[in-house]
Amino acid sequence: MVPIMSDLQAPLRPKRKKVLVDYLVQFRWIVVIFVVLPVSCFIYFKLFLGDVKSAMKSEKRRQKEHEENVKKVVNRLKQRDPQKDGLVCTARKPYIAVGMRNVDYKRARHFEVDLSAFRNILEVDKERMVAKVEPLVNMGQITRYTVPMNLALAVVAELDDLTVGGLINGYGIEGSSHIYGLFSDTVVAMEVVLANGQVVRCTKDNEYSDLFYGIPWSQGTLGLLVSAEIKLIPIKEYMRLTYTPYRGTLKELAQAYADSFAPRDGDPSKVPDFVEGMIYNPTEAVHMTGRYASKEEAKKKGNVINNVGWWFKPWFYQHAQTALKKGEFVEYIPTREYYHRHTRCLYWEGKLILPFGDQWWFRWFLGWLMPPKVSLLKATQGESVRNYYHDMHVIQDLLVPLYKVGDALEYCHNEMEVYPIWLCPHRLFKLPVKTMVYPEPGFEHHHRQGDTSYAQMFTDIGVYYAPGPVLRGEEFNGAEAVRNLEEWLIQNHGFQPQYAVSELTEKNFWRMFDGSQYEHCRKKYGAIGTFMSVYYKSKKGKKTEKEVQEAEAEILEPAYAEEV
């Protein structure tokens, strides 16, 4: 089939003169090969041994150790002197977080609480279908534990290193989110240490329900999450995955994507268990739909089994791209390998980090070292390289209503020209309270594709790569592009996860997000003046001592007002 030419034309830009940092980035693979990959491999192995050791302990012992560690957190909070110690945050090093945003708030005066011991799976309750885990349990660890039981979290974020705490306090999504919502929507209960050291268990219907709805997207600024109970679902051994190629304009590709999981006749039997789309250029895409399948079905004669997790296998996004040449095809992937299909190549960021990493010789001989730990990539990049990535690289997720995906794709092409683009749908539920992210008012009256009376269908548009102008050696203003993108999201009822680099002013931050429930919880549970505000924590740039003092003093103003 002859590709349909898009009528979109990327703007022409003047050429940019190369400077030293361009060459540091170009040859960064040397540091990655000889330092980052070997050290990453050692750390992964050490963590794996720790996970095995933890799994060998009885649930009773793990729970006892958890209670002891919670007491240590409470005692540490009580040691804080509000007049001089700074605002509370965890003791993790700034580069440990998985995300592009600089953890600039840790470069100013602050009070650290060590949560490093909280990385145990405390209980898997098969009757309640709930897993109780600590905040530093990551996705690789929990799937290794539950998948052999034919159980999994309802939403399993793709990258192994993503932690439960980060996915609850921040944002998490997966190909099953069109059914179950975001990761935080699958949480049943949370154990939280408040600013005064009180330990509470919050659920959607107990006395701390306001806190339950306030914590997601709060970036850990309402209290310290020390455990969570998360919904489990029954699964099967394999994922039956269908790869379907499409060609057309960006809006036509967006419509094909919507049709792949949201049948226009509303027939629930046509809704797949998993769905994702990948747009490779302005005219070509591959959309994938998956259904759980038994071992017996997968091994029937004629069926193709693909162990995508093996180190020598082609990177998943490139494997999916072959559908554009050979047409639609079906294969069976072991379920756990499917969950973590993007881990080895970090979606397609691995191509920039190691330009030859996708070649057969590298995959066969060194592919077992992949992926590099994101924390080590950040720790070894230096200030100049870090600033380069902020200006010349894009890692953003755009959460937009499903019916606006076509418009968003055209906007991204015109402003950034980044490919591939990842598409992943998710429900945004209508909740009893208005949380930081929320559906469009009155969405249920429009009966749009994918929507129900209780949830609006959104899509995460993942824009991760160097923009086209940068790859062509042209000028590109990354800060301006992000500012324009954020304004577009505000105008179109979209949201930007705060793991990414943000240029939002405080006024625009609260234009994008609703702060009513969040501020209610900040005041009620004494977080003001103890924990950083979510905007303070997300804001770009190192905090000055004056900003720290102003944030600490916030609690004093209403107190003085009451005494007058």
Side-chain angles (χ1 to χ4, degrees):
M1 182 184 294
V2 177
I4 301 169
M5 297 305 293
S6 171
D7 57 357
L8 296 171
Q9 295 295 326
L12 296 175
R13 306 167 191 255
K15 290 290 183 180
R16 185 176 69 90
K17 185 178 180 181
K18 280 193 173 185
V19 293
L20 176 61
V21 70
D22 290 283
Y23 297 100
L24 293 176
V25 171
Q26 182 179 349
F27 294 102
R28 195 175 171 215
W29 61 266
I30 298 172
V31 176
V32 174
I33 287 284
F34 294 104
V35 178
V36 175
L37 283 180
V39 176
S40 295
C41 189
F42 173 77
I43 293 174
Y44 282 128
F45 184 66
K46 184 180 177 182
L47 291 174
F48 171 75
L49 291 180
D51 296 343
V52 171
K53 183 180 178 182
S54 171
M56 291 173 65
K57 298 176 185 176
S58 66
E59 288 185 353
K60 185 176 180 181
R61 183 178 172 188
R62 277 177 266 165
Q63 182 61 39
K64 183 180 178 181
E65 290 179 357
H66 171 75
E67 291 168 0
E68 291 171 353
N69 289 328
V70 170
K71 288 178 183 177
K72 291 178 183 177
V73 170
V74 172
N75 291 336
R76 173 65 176 159
L77 274 177
K78 290 180 177 179
Q79 293 171 5
R80 175 177 175 265
D81 182 347
Q83 303 300 321
K84 65 178 183 179
D85 282 339
L87 298 169
V88 173
C89 64
T90 66
R92 284 200 309 172
K93 297 297 181 185
Y95 56 81
I96 294 294
V98 178
M100 281 296 290
R101 175 171 57 87
N102 293 338
V103 189
D104 287 320
Y105 59 87
K106 289 191 177 180
R107 302 167 75 190
R109 181 166 57 85
H110 61 276
F111 183 81
E112 293 187 345
V113 178
D114 187 5
L115 299 182
S116 61
F118 290 87
R119 52 171 299 110
N120 294 303
I121 298 170
L122 300 175
E123 180 185 11
V124 171
D125 189 331
K126 296 180 181 178
E127 291 186 9
R128 293 175 60 220
M129 291 297 283
V130 163
K132 184 178 181 181
V133 300
E134 292 181 321
L136 292 186
V137 169
N138 63 37
M139 294 298 99
Q141 179 183 357
I142 198 161
T143 56
R144 194 182 303 117
Y145 193 91
T146 62
V147 168
M149 306 177 191
N150 278 357
L151 296 174
L153 300 183
V155 174
V156 181
E158 288 90 347
L159 300 183
D160 286 25
D161 275 357
L162 296 173
T163 63
V164 166
L167 295 168
I168 293 175
N169 282 307
Y171 155 82
I173 194 172
E174 172 40 320
S176 59
S177 289
H178 65 297
I179 299 172
Y180 300 105
L182 298 175
F183 188 89
S184 55
D185 293 317
T186 68
V187 176
V188 176
M190 289 175 269
E191 183 185 14
V192 181
V193 181
L194 301 178
N196 63 0
Q198 182 184 2
V199 182
V200 302
R201 181 177 181 269
C202 51
T203 69
K204 65 181 179 181
D205 50 13
N206 73 358
E207 60 183 307
Y208 300 106
S209 61
D210 51 357
L211 187 61
F212 178 85
Y213 289 115
I215 284 178
W217 293 77
S218 71
Q219 300 291 328
T221 59
L222 297 178
L224 296 172
L225 178 70
V226 289
S227 77
E229 297 167 46
I230 309 169
K231 177 184 177 68
L232 290 168
I233 60 170
I235 62 170
K236 297 178 181 178
E237 296 88 351
Y238 284 84
M239 186 66 62
R240 182 185 186 275
L241 196 64
T242 303
Y243 303 78
T244 307
Y246 292 94
R247 289 180 171 84
T249 64
L250 286 172
K251 286 199 171 180
E252 289 169 341
L253 298 179
Q255 185 58 57
Y257 154 77
D259 292 341
S260 71
F261 70 92
R264 300 193 195 198
D265 61 6
D267 183 355
S269 67
K270 297 178 182 177
V271 178
D273 295 324
F274 276 79
V275 62
E276 70 176 327
M278 283 187 260
I279 298 182
Y280 291 95
N281 57 56
T283 62
E284 294 181 318
V286 175
H287 301 318
M288 287 146 282
T289 54
R291 294 183 182 274
Y292 286 113
S294 66
K295 181 167 55 178
E296 292 73 23
E297 177 186 340
K299 294 189 175 182
K300 283 182 180 178
K301 187 177 180 180
N303 288 343
V304 176
I305 294 178
N306 184 5
N307 294 89
V308 298
W310 284 99
W311 75 91
F312 54 82
K313 287 281 189 172
W315 289 354
F316 184 77
Y317 82 96
Q318 293 178 342
H319 171 66
Q321 192 174 10
T322 61
L324 292 170
K325 290 186 177 180
K326 64 183 183 181
E328 182 176 288
F329 65 95
V330 177
E331 63 186 15
Y332 291 79
I333 300 174
T335 298
R336 186 170 185 272
E337 294 183 27
Y338 174 77
Y339 286 154
H340 303 296
R341 62 200 178 277
H342 292 300
T343 290
R344 223 168 10 108
C345 55
L346 301 175
Y347 287 89
W348 28 89
E349 285 289 319
K351 183 66 176 172
L352 280 178
I353 298 165
L354 288 171
F356 45 78
D358 57 344
Q359 299 300 303
W360 69 267
W361 55 268
F362 181 90
R363 288 188 279 108
W364 270 97
F365 295 108
L366 291 174
W368 56 275
L369 288 169
M370 294 290 282
K373 281 192 75 68
V374 174
S375 57
L376 284 178
L377 289 172
K378 293 167 68 176
T380 57
Q381 67 186 7
E383 191 77 15
S384 60
V385 174
R386 182 175 72 165
N387 292 335
Y388 175 93
Y389 281 129
H390 282 190
D391 294 334
M392 302 292 170
H393 195 86
V394 177
I395 294 187
Q396 295 283 344
D397 284 276
L398 292 59
L399 275 57
V400 300
L402 178 61
Y403 73 95
K404 292 185 176 181
V405 169
D407 293 336
L409 291 176
E410 290 188 345
Y411 177 87
C412 288
H413 177 84
N414 289 328
E415 294 295 320
M416 297 179 177
E417 202 184 342
V418 173
Y419 293 97
I421 289 176
W422 187 61
L423 301 178
C424 186
H426 70 91
R427 278 178 166 161
L428 200 54
F429 292 100
K430 186 166 65 172
L431 300 173
V433 296
K434 194 175 184 182
T435 55
M436 284 184 66
V437 296
Y438 53 95
E440 290 179 297
F443 74 90
E444 64 272 26
H445 304 304
H446 295 281
H447 306 288
R448 297 188 183 98
Q449 187 174 7
D451 292 355
T452 64
S453 60
Y454 56 86
Q456 184 177 13
M457 192 64 74
F458 271 60
T459 282
D460 179 336
I461 301 176
V463 185
Y464 326 124
Y465 210 61
V470 174
L471 295 175
R472 293 191 297 266
E474 299 169 359
E475 288 186 359
F476 182 78
N477 188 327
E480 182 182 0
V482 171
R483 272 193 296 272
N484 293 339
L485 171 65
E486 290 167 338
E487 182 60 31
W488 188 93
L489 286 171
I490 291 169
Q491 297 294 335
N492 288 274
H493 196 85
F495 304 98
Q496 173 198 45
Q498 290 304 301
Y499 79 86
V501 176
S502 173
E503 298 289 340
L504 287 169
T505 62
E506 187 166 12
K507 179 181 178 182
N508 285 339
F509 185 91
W510 294 118
R511 286 175 64 210
M512 180 179 289
F513 301 102
D514 187 272
S516 53
Q517 180 72 8
Y518 173 74
E519 288 299 333
H520 159 78
C521 290
R522 290 269 293 168
K523 294 172 184 175
K524 179 178 177 181
Y525 295 106
I528 300 174
T530 299
F531 294 106
M532 306 167 186
S533 73
V534 66
Y535 177 72
Y536 176 100
K537 201 168 182 180
S538 304
K539 186 175 68 167
K540 184 179 175 182
K542 182 179 177 180
K543 310 300 184 286
T544 64
E545 178 60 25
K546 181 182 178 182
E547 288 177 296
V548 176
Q549 291 173 354
E550 288 174 350
E552 290 173 323
E554 284 183 20
I555 189 65
L556 301 177
E557 294 175 5
Y560 290 146
E562 290 171 1
E563 292 175 2
V564 174

